[in-house]
Amino acid sequence: MISITNHRIDPTASELKFSYDESPNHSGLFRTGTPDTLVMHFTLGDTYTSSVNWLKNPNAKASAHLVVGRKGEVVQLVPFNQIAWHAGASQWNGRSGLNNYSIGIEIANAGILSKRSDGYYTTFGKRIDNDQVVLAPHKNGGPERAWEAYTPTQMAVVEQLCEALIANYPISELVGHDDIAPGRKFDPGPAFPIESLRSKILFGRKDEEERTLDRESRNKGIVTAELLNLRQSPSLNAPTVTEPLRQGTRFEILKIEGDWVKVDVCLEGWVSRKHIKYFE
Ligand SMILES: [Zn+2]
């Protein structure tokens, strides 16, 4: 459990190897209603410490709110109510300059590796064991390349940080730097499980099933499938009411019948219960 007090991680209420080490590289306060987005990055640095030092260096003109090391160690560089400089020229959902809307998390990782006769190496000449290498093309295009794997400890901490942030700020989106600056940026890259983290953080936790009964007394839900048909009656053969609902659409639940839920999204209709989550 990670707790946030006064826009900083509370070291006394968090079981983390944590430190607060402020970077001068930030601007003023977020506007009301933001931050609403989490942006994932890899550091591309030699070590965790060298990356943290760089992000604190005024010459870098770059920072992030958090840096997560490979052993799960965490440093916070900028308070969560202030704008850090991690996204650069970026666009998402019709907005540009994502620094103004987002919390940036840098995750210690060497990024793209180069192959030599005896194995894979980082830009800084450090050899990476084969079991720490992910071979994959980038989702934005290009050939298959070698990427350093993220560590399980690091990923568990990233997930906990995202959960703490979503509990404290109006977060409704989680993206990679490579989503908001495609072509220019490759991080966090194909070794990072961005889709599963995104759905876990935005659309419900793993233990959701256990809490389903509890939540059915609540009457709001959210679409988890990419597209979900809204039908006139609770049957796969029933005609649709309108174009499919998009992932993230929120609705009122009017009625539950077996595998079907009757919802109100201004229009009324039935959706498959498998593709929604309840929310508080
Ligand atoms: Zn980045």
Side-chain angles (χ1 to χ4, degrees), residues 39-43 86-87 105-106 176-178 185-188:
V39 182
M40 303 295 134
H41 301 265
F42 57 44
T43 53
H86 56 96
I105 304 181
E106 288 278 357
H177 204 183
D178 46 12
K185 292 291 176 181
F186 298 98
D187 57 320

Side-chain angles (χ1 to χ4, degrees), residues 24 54 69 82 85 100 105 107-108 113 123 139 228 234 240 242 255:
W54 174 244
Q82 295 192 30
W85 303 343
N100 292 331
I105 304 181
I107 304 156
L113 307 173
T123 324
K139 64 182 176 185
L228 181 61
T240 55
T242 179
K255 197 185 206 178

Side-chain angles (χ1 to χ4, degrees), residues 113-115 118-122 126-128 130 133 135 146:
L113 307 173
S114 48
K115 192 172 166 83
D118 62 339
Y120 292 95
Y121 284 81
T122 71
K126 192 158 74 186
R127 187 167 174 208
I128 302 296
N130 283 354
V133 177
L135 296 171

Side-chain angles (χ1 to χ4, degrees), residues 45-270:
D46 186 9
T47 65
Y48 169 71
T49 310
S50 69
S51 296
V52 170
N53 287 340
W54 174 244
L55 295 171
K56 281 167 48 192
N57 183 335
N59 295 329
K61 295 189 166 55
S63 63
H65 292 90
L66 296 164
V67 188
V68 182
R70 296 187 67 75
K71 293 176 189 151
E73 61 274 55
V74 178
V75 61
Q76 181 174 359
L77 300 175
V78 177
F80 298 127
N81 62 338
Q82 295 192 30
I83 295 167
W85 303 343
H86 56 96
S90 49
Q91 287 200 318
W92 189 251
N93 275 347
R95 298 190 304 196
S96 55
L98 268 287
N99 281 344
N100 292 331
Y101 307 101
S102 64
I103 287 178
I105 304 181
E106 288 278 357
I107 304 156
N109 182 285
I112 298 170
L113 307 173
S114 48
K115 192 172 166 83
R116 297 187 196 167
S117 56
D118 62 339
Y120 292 95
Y121 284 81
T122 71
T123 324
F124 295 91
K126 192 158 74 186
R127 187 167 174 208
I128 302 296
D129 289 342
N130 283 354
D131 64 356
Q132 290 301 302
V133 177
V134 174
L135 296 171
H138 194 280
K139 64 182 176 185
N140 294 342
E144 180 179 276
R145 292 201 258 200
W147 308 80
E148 186 179 27
Y150 294 87
T151 73
T153 314
Q154 183 174 45
M155 284 311 306
V157 169
V158 168
E159 193 179 318
Q160 286 172 44
L161 289 168
C162 291
E163 281 177 352
L165 289 165
I166 207 165
N168 284 272
Y169 299 94
I171 306 291
S172 59
E173 184 58 296
L174 186 155
V175 290
H177 204 183
D178 46 12
D179 291 314
I180 62 172
R184 192 170 71 82
K185 292 291 176 181
F186 298 98
D187 57 320
F192 191 87
I194 190 119
E195 284 310 323
S196 65
L197 181 67
R198 186 171 185 274
S199 43
K200 207 179 286 177
I201 294 303
L202 300 182
F203 306 120
R205 298 168 54 94
K206 271 187 260 173
D207 58 354
E208 185 73 33
E209 289 302 317
E210 294 162 30
R211 294 194 295 167
T212 293
L213 275 178
D214 199 35
R215 288 198 175 191
E216 281 184 355
S217 57
R218 304 177 194 276
N219 62 351
K220 286 190 165 63
I222 187 163
V223 174
T224 57
E226 209 167 305
L227 292 171
L228 181 61
N229 283 316
L230 182 68
R231 297 185 184 278
Q232 291 177 13
S233 58
S235 157
L236 282 176
N237 301 321
T240 55
V241 174
T242 179
E243 64 187 80
L245 306 179
R246 291 172 167 274
Q247 191 173 64
T249 304
R250 295 182 176 203
F251 49 80
E252 297 277 330
I253 294 169
L254 302 173
K255 197 185 206 178
I256 298 172
E257 253 183 50
D259 291 337
W260 292 87
V261 183
K262 189 176 190 186
V263 303
D264 180 353
V265 279
C266 297
L267 292 165
E268 287 185 12
W270 293 83

